[in-house]
Amino acid sequence: MRTNRWLLALSVLLCIALTSCGAPSAGPGQPKTIKVGALYPLSGELAQIGDNVRNGLVLAVEDINAAGGIRSMGGAKIELVFGDTQGKPDVGVSEVDRLVQQEGVVAIIGCYQSAVTIPATQEAERLQVPFIVDIAVANKITERGFRWVFRVGPKADSYAADQVAFLKDLPSLGGPEIRKVALLHEDTDWGQSTAEAQKRFLKEAGIEVLTEVTYPANAADLTTEVSKAAATNPDAILTVTYLNDAVLITQAREKLGLKNILFMDTAGGTIDPEYIQRLGSAADGMLTVVEFSKFAKGSAELNERYRARFGEDMTGNSVHSYQAGLVLADALERAGTTEKNALRDAIARTDMSGEKVVLPSGRVQFGEDGQNRFARLYVVQIQKGELMPVWPPAVATAKIQFGQ
């Protein structure tokens, strides 16, 4: 029988700061269970996504408890107490109050939507309870000078930053030097704000933006827009899409014969399973940043266990909630107490690496703003209908195919 390396890694993790791996006997006042809030949209339009994020945290807690619980507290087990935001900011705030003041949770993990996470974390800050944001990307979340809020995953700027970092790395990966690009994006806040970040990071990298072409997200054909972007002779075209426009852009790319230009998306429609289903082989060669890949080095076994437990593959959402659970367990182990100030300080001192980290960078460390300094994304390329990780090199399992 193959030994499960995740449980082995967790056993090592939960022995941190102990003189031996034997669980100490529970001392006076040590809890048998540690209540942790899990706050997600479990009903309403986002319930399916909420279930997916919640399940990542559920698996993490099951792994932690199976590996001996929090050993510095006599093997205390973590008990998740769920809150349902219903996808509504005001409900998220009231659920924070309930979880802290009625349920007595020592920390909260959540809660997917930035629009809900922003006020929910503000309430946690007011109550002075640690809040670990697993996946919610608004820059503002960790830019308000809060002491009790920490984010494991990337922020909005990270998507553009990692796109540009990848473009700079291309020559070392056997690709061309990228000196000039065209921007092509839908015209809602998602497309506009992402393009602004792209322009900022491209300028810092010395890469010229030749043109910026926008279009309505509900466009019926984008051949003209793709042609305009390509007419400037860019080395790459960076896109910001939803599903339908991602399909239209790729169809135009195929129709216009633009396989010599690198197309790169921003975790938009190109990562929707329906994108490949609708396009078939025409999707091959498209690149995008993405939060998780089941094909990345070190991810397959975790994904297999998640699929066996919940009947579906992990996503960027569920893998970040899984990581958030490990981060909290690590902090509880080092703190040796649920006293909120000690726990908050232990979270702030987090510095995890190696097999304890399932994210692309292999490291979690919080800055003074509470943002994970090492939050990164994968770059994947669609190859034979699969999203294959090609960057960062440490976790890549495929080489980039050019001219596809």
Side-chain angles (χ1 to χ4, degrees):
M1 181 183 295
R2 183 174 62 178
T3 302
N4 191 303
R5 73 185 186 90
W6 292 103
L7 287 178
L8 285 176
L10 280 163
S11 295
V12 173
L13 164 64
L14 296 172
C15 288
I16 293 173
L18 300 179
T19 56
S20 71
C21 283
S25 59
Q30 288 183 328
K32 293 182 180 179
T33 60
I34 301 169
K35 288 187 175 183
V36 172
L39 186 58
Y40 300 109
L42 302 178
S43 63
E45 295 181 357
L46 296 173
Q48 183 175 357
I49 294 175
D51 285 343
N52 176 264
V53 194
R54 176 189 62 185
N55 290 343
L57 181 57
V58 167
L59 184 62
V61 169
E62 290 176 352
D63 285 351
I64 292 159
N65 289 341
I70 307 302
R71 294 173 180 265
S72 64
M73 286 184 269
K77 300 299 191 289
I78 293 177
E79 174 189 345
L80 291 176
V81 182
F82 295 102
D84 180 9
T85 70
Q86 303 174 33
K88 302 174 182 178
D90 59 331
V91 176
V93 171
S94 64
E95 284 292 83
V96 169
D97 283 334
R98 181 183 66 83
L99 289 169
V100 175
Q101 302 192 54
Q102 297 181 31
E103 299 291 348
V105 301
V106 303
I108 297 174
I109 296 174
C111 45
Y112 177 65
Q113 298 160 278
S114 291
V116 177
T117 303
I118 289 169
T121 49
Q122 183 170 332
E123 184 65 5
E125 184 76 10
R126 185 184 73 82
L127 296 171
Q128 296 189 344
V129 62
F131 196 119
I132 299 178
V133 177
D134 40 18
I135 187 76
V137 302
N139 290 330
K140 181 179 178 180
I141 291 169
T142 50
E143 293 179 355
R144 294 171 290 175
F146 287 177
R147 295 187 68 252
W148 296 83
V149 177
F150 305 88
R151 176 162 47 192
V152 170
K155 59 182 182 178
D157 277 2
S158 302
Y159 291 79
D162 278 3
Q163 278 184 323
V164 175
F166 166 75
L167 295 179
K168 294 291 288 183
D169 276 357
L170 263 182
S172 68
L173 302 174
E177 183 177 0
I178 304 298
R179 296 179 179 176
K180 52 191 188 307
V181 303
L183 303 184
L184 175 65
H185 61 84
E186 55 84 29
D187 62 2
T188 70
D189 181 67
W190 159 237
Q192 299 283 8
S193 59
T194 302
E196 288 304 310
Q198 287 172 332
K199 285 185 282 189
R200 186 167 70 254
F201 287 106
L202 287 164
K203 182 178 181 180
E204 291 175 1
I207 298 175
E208 182 183 2
V209 176
L210 298 171
T211 188
E212 180 178 355
V213 180
T214 64
Y215 57 84
N218 61 353
D221 183 272
L222 291 173
T223 303
T224 298
E225 286 77 7
V226 172
S227 181
K228 285 181 180 179
T232 61
N233 194 31
D235 299 317
I237 295 177
L238 303 186
T239 65
V240 187
T241 67
Y242 290 107
L243 174 60
N244 190 61
D245 48 317
V247 171
L248 293 175
I249 287 171
T250 309
Q251 289 172 336
R253 168 181 174 258
E254 186 85 355
K255 178 181 178 180
L256 295 168
L258 301 176
K259 295 295 183 73
N260 61 313
I261 301 176
L262 184 150
F263 278 69
M264 187 175 193
D265 196 31
T266 315
T270 52
I271 66 174
D272 189 308
E274 190 176 338
Y275 173 79
I276 294 173
Q277 293 170 12
R278 288 169 61 176
L279 287 165
S281 61
D284 284 349
M286 296 296 288
L287 291 151
T288 185
V289 288
V290 69
E291 298 91 352
F292 174 71
S293 170
K294 65 182 179 181
F295 296 107
K297 291 177 183 177
S299 297
E301 187 175 353
L302 176 61
N303 187 69
E304 288 171 7
R305 292 198 300 108
Y306 182 92
R307 171 173 277 281
R309 177 70 172 82
F310 300 109
E312 62 181 7
D313 286 333
M314 295 193 90
T315 65
N317 299 325
S318 53
V319 79
H320 279 87
S321 60
Y322 183 91
Q323 186 67 65
L326 300 193
V327 167
L328 181 59
D330 172 69
L332 285 165
E333 193 66 64
R334 287 182 287 106
T337 177
T338 58
E339 194 278 321
K340 65 179 185 179
N341 289 286
L343 178 56
R344 180 263 164 211
D345 290 346
I347 296 171
R349 292 194 298 269
T350 294
D351 192 354
M352 299 173 65
S353 59
E355 290 188 334
K356 297 176 290 185
V357 179
V358 299
L359 305 180
S361 71
R363 190 173 182 186
V364 176
Q365 182 190 78
F366 297 116
E368 290 185 4
D369 58 357
Q371 175 64 39
N372 177 12
R373 290 189 175 109
F374 296 93
R376 302 294 299 274
L377 295 120
Y378 297 98
V379 172
V380 296
Q381 184 179 46
I382 299 175
Q383 299 179 2
K384 296 182 179 179
E386 297 285 3
L387 295 166
M388 301 303 298
V390 296
W391 184 90
V395 293
T397 55
K399 293 184 178 181
I400 304 170
Q401 297 176 0
F402 298 98
Q404 296 295 312

